[in-house]
Amino acid sequence: MFKKALLALPVALALGATAHAQAPEDVLQALIDKLPSDYLTQSEMNIMMMPDNPALWVGMDGEDLFHTPRGPNNVSMEACDFGKGPGVLEGAYVELPRYFEDTGKVMDLETRIVHCMTEVQGFAADDPAVTTRHGSGSDHMQIQTYIAMQSNGMEWNNPLDHPLEKAMRDAGEVLFARRAGMSDFNCYACHGQTGKQVRASRLPDASVGEEWTKAISWPAFRVGHDHVRSSQHRVRGCYFQMRQAGMLAGSDASIALISYWTDVGRGQPAILPDMKR
Amino acid sequence: MFKKTSLAAGVAAFATLFVAGGPAVADADQVDYTAMTPHELAEYLIFEANDGGGFNLSQEMQEGGTARDRMQQDELQEACSIIGDGKPDADTMNAIRAAAAESIVYPEGGIQLGDWERGRELAWSGFGYRVGHNYDDHTTREVGGTCYNCHQFAMDRTGGTVGPGLTGYGKTRGSGEAILKYAYDMIYNPHVYFPCTHMPRFGASGFLDEQAIADIMAYMFDPESPVNE
């Protein structure tokens, strides 16, 4: 812990320098300067802690994992295409979910990593490296965080040119509005008004771009969980709160919803990795 | 219209969508997502895609049935699922109001206030009807009202602001017959006054029973309750 803290500054500089000059906290600060928002400024401590965001360390572990030859095929993930060509990560994440020719499917970051682990590296589908999706110690969260960080400060811009990309985005819009379950909730129940809170938690309004980009900036370190969490984890949490069925990891329903929420954030800069309460 | 849709009717309507008009193809690989309307695709992604649905639909629910049943929409949920969070047309709104009025069942002997101390805990509790982690069958903890998620009541606990603040509710409004009925209706089925409100139908859905509603109302109205300090 202490050793890691000493390393924080060079790490932030090194990671920032590879892709872009802005640090995540600067991206957030620019949004706050643009728009006074209780959601964006909800925790001064979190903003203060962002230069030492534990997610940065998780991303560093992910960098090692990404570049190390692994799996039965003993190849690194550099052979994987995340949408901008094999091994190209800069700006790849803000253009996900997208259609991939090789699978004929719209995929988000998590499902694409699964694809690379199984199809390129040769891991069995039931290998813990593939099936363990949660927690800062998981391969998934480490690799996701590393890849996502290469899009920090860039604008959300998931492509909608392919008919399947458009179909998934539009279905996601329907899902966002779809009320069901014992509480009649849909996503608007929490994300349809500005400046509201559930208990002590400030809520992001989907119609306010500056708030929404932070809302969808995952992976993020969730202070209350003491773990880095993913978009998939957030979606599942929302359905739990709505008392609807548990969303299956990487299902097309989850990708549709993430396609829509990314489209809603279009043009706003991503904060990667983020830190949330 | 807008009477409480039976589960069977909902399932039948769904089956019709895919058997009669929709892409009733068994093999997921052959299903063309682009040939469906966004609504059809959304329903398909929930109930059919990924070899059985995008959700864990087989899990048993506390109210009976499975998560598949719970994901089915009734008429109100369908009518109030509007992109952009808008409102339906005036006729639909009136139909929603009328159906909500019809749904409300009043206690025998009239609306009574229960135990405000129990109501205080129920208003605070977010427990009940959960799916997945912290799943419960309500044998160890009773179902709460989750009221504080959206409302502020007494100031000793932090409530949400999604719904209006209810501090001093009884003190400022009295406890006459009309206001008691209004509060009861709002808890039981708020669509009678606010069609497509975000507030759950705690009575009509079976979320809260008669005693729980009486106790929560006592928390709102009883002069001894901290809400009315």
Side-chain angles (χ1 to χ4, degrees), chain B residues 1-33:
Chain B
M1 211 189 169
F2 290 108
K3 301 218 173 95
K4 203 169 178 185
T5 312
S6 74
L7 175 63
V11 173
F14 179 73
T16 309
L17 176 66
F18 289 101
V19 174
V25 184
D27 185 350
D29 289 335
Q30 291 173 30
V31 174
D32 181 3
Y33 286 1

Side-chain angles (χ1 to χ4, degrees), chain A residues 164 167 173 175 177-185 188 196-199 240 243-248 251-252 256, chain B residues 33 43 50 53-56 70-71 73 77 80-81 83-84 124 126 128 131 133 149 160-161 196-198 201:
Chain A
L164 264 180
E173 185 176 36
L175 290 174
R178 189 182 193 275
R179 302 176 66 147
M182 290 295 283
S183 299
D184 301 329
F185 287 151
Y188 293 121
K196 300 293 183 182
Q197 63 187 57
V198 159
R199 295 196 185 233
F240 172 76
R243 290 173 165 76
Q244 297 185 31
M247 196 169 239
L248 295 178
S251 67
D252 282 352
Chain B
Y33 286 1
E43 299 299 307
N50 300 102
F55 294 79
N56 186 357
R70 196 185 277 190
M71 294 303 283
Q73 292 181 300
Q77 290 168 339
C80 296
S81 294
I83 287 169
W124 179 253
V131 195
H133 69 283
N149 281 14
T161 59
C196 293
T197 174
H198 288 142
R201 296 167 282 176

Side-chain angles (χ1 to χ4, degrees), chain A residues 12-50:
Chain A
L13 287 174
L15 290 171
T18 47
H20 36 78
Q22 255 186 323
E25 60 270 25
D26 295 336
V27 180
L28 175 59
Q29 191 57 52
L31 291 164
I32 292 169
D33 292 345
K34 217 168 125 194
L35 180 83
S37 155
D38 286 343
Y39 173 69
L40 291 175
T41 57
Q42 58 184 285
S43 169
E44 277 178 40
M45 187 175 285
N46 275 10
I47 297 172
M48 272 170 55
M49 289 286 290
M50 278 180 77

Side-chain angles (χ1 to χ4, degrees), chain A residues 95-101 105-107 158-172 255-256 259-260 263 266, chain B residues 33-34 41:
Chain A
E95 294 184 21
L96 291 171
R98 74 187 303 152
Y99 175 77
F100 286 90
E101 199 78 50
K105 287 180 173 173
V106 176
M107 303 170 91
N158 55 322
L160 298 175
D161 308 322
H162 194 279
L164 264 180
E165 291 168 342
K166 181 76 168 50
M168 290 287 272
R169 177 258 175 233
D170 291 352
I255 293 168
S259 294
Y260 173 65
D263 182 41
R266 185 178 305 281
Chain B
Y33 286 1
T34 64
L41 178 54

